[in-house]
Amino acid sequence: MKPVSLSTLRELKSRGEKFTVLTCYDATFAQAMNGAGIEVMLVGDSLGMVLQGRDSTLPVTVSDMAYHTACVARGNSTALLMADMPFMSYSTPEEALANAATLMRAGAHLVKLEGGAWLADTVTRLMQGGIPACVHMGLTPQSVNVFGGYKVQGRGEDAGEQMLREAQALEAAGAAVLLLECVPRALAARITAALKIPVIGIGAGLDCDGQVLVVHDMLGLHTGKPARFVKNFLAVSDDGSVAGAFRAYAAEVKSGQYPAPEHGFD
């Protein structure tokens, strides 16, 4: 498998071919994901919950993210490596540029920020500095206290139109990728069709260009009731192995078997 780049994702979108994204936090899992053909690895601030045992992503620091980004980079040979910008690390364009540079030096190929059109100036500044950005819209976990919990975003005509306009503004500002979380299927389909840049979904239906899951979730290692969009791929792997679960996930995303209607929202 040739190394994946942003150009690769754009080519896949243009051909109507799906691509896969999984969170990754260390070198061993990175090697296993390479073997399964996972196109994008996300060093997510979800590590605060699944690795550090915290109750949200908010305590995660830039140093935490840089450490795990470097670990994944050492094990990765083919995937595009995306790193989350943690809570309050991009409150101004200048702060975003400095912190994103730290993650890029650690081995990231692009960074991910949570928000809407208010990020346009920051996205442009990052692009000018040679740092591609993915903007995470919809349910953004860093804003959980604003939302009052983990709730579907973009329901209703006005909310949907606003999200579409903001997505288009971010593309115009230079965003390289968009990620939609917990967005109604029909709205996610509209946004994906309206944008030239690749759109990744999680709980956003089948029509997004790519899909992402937290690796612990797709291996059945969650506590309590899993989110609607989660599927245990370890349970359907061909050999009961972690590598087999990654292969099963890749196969189901590319064939359109996952996500099924029950994994999304109306």
Side-chain angles (χ1 to χ4, degrees):
M1 181 177 172
K2 295 181 180 179
V4 176
S5 67
L6 286 169
S7 294
T8 307
L9 301 189
R10 289 192 290 266
E11 289 169 5
L12 290 171
K13 179 183 177 83
S14 69
R15 298 200 299 263
E17 297 180 24
K18 306 296 185 181
F19 62 88
T20 54
V21 189
L22 284 173
T23 64
C24 190
Y25 315 103
D26 63 44
T28 301
F29 271 60
Q31 291 169 349
M33 290 180 192
N34 282 165
I38 302 301
E39 284 93 353
V40 183
M41 296 179 199
L42 169 61
V43 185
D45 59 1
S46 49
L47 67 87
M49 302 172 78
V50 299
L51 298 186
Q52 297 176 339
R54 302 182 185 276
D55 61 2
S56 76
T57 64
L58 302 189
V60 176
T61 66
V62 173
S63 294
D64 291 335
M65 295 304 306
Y67 171 80
H68 285 279
T69 298
C71 290
V72 174
R74 285 190 285 270
N76 176 42
S77 58
T78 57
L80 187 70
L81 182 53
M82 179 161 58
D84 268 341
M85 298 281 287
F87 179 65
M88 291 302 293
S89 66
Y90 47 97
S91 57
T92 67
E94 293 74 21
E95 186 178 23
L97 188 63
N99 288 324
T102 297
L103 299 182
M104 297 292 282
R105 292 188 186 105
H109 300 131
L110 71 162
V111 298
K112 180 165 74 65
L113 308 83
E114 296 183 7
W118 63 271
L119 284 171
D121 290 344
T122 297
V123 167
T124 300
R125 185 69 185 93
L126 290 173
M127 180 185 64
Q128 291 169 341
I131 301 175
C134 170
V135 180
H136 182 157
M137 298 183 70
L139 173 57
T140 49
Q142 292 176 15
S143 299
V144 63
N145 291 314
V146 174
F147 295 148
Y150 296 96
K151 302 176 180 179
V152 177
Q153 302 297 307
R155 279 184 167 146
E157 184 176 353
D158 290 345
E161 289 296 327
Q162 180 177 344
M163 190 177 294
L164 174 59
R165 288 194 300 271
E166 293 197 22
Q168 291 171 323
L170 288 162
E171 180 180 51
V177 182
L178 193 75
L179 189 150
L180 298 174
E181 180 171 357
C182 291
V183 170
R185 284 182 291 255
L187 175 59
R190 284 186 64 202
I191 293 173
T192 301
L195 301 186
K196 294 180 180 179
I197 60 175
V199 177
I200 300 166
I202 179 168
L206 183 64
D207 293 305
C208 296
D209 303 305
Q211 298 291 330
V212 61
L213 283 175
V214 172
V215 66
H216 291 68
D217 287 344
M218 61 89 69
L219 293 175
L221 297 176
H222 43 74
T223 58
K225 184 179 180 180
R228 179 183 296 189
F229 50 76
V230 170
K231 178 173 179 176
N232 183 344
F233 285 91
L234 187 61
V236 298
S237 67
D238 53 9
D239 60 1
S241 71
V242 169
F246 296 161
R247 292 192 299 270
Y249 172 68
E252 290 200 12
V253 169
K254 291 180 181 301
S255 70
Q257 184 176 345
Y258 176 85
E262 64 264 26
H263 298 123
F265 304 91
D266 293 323

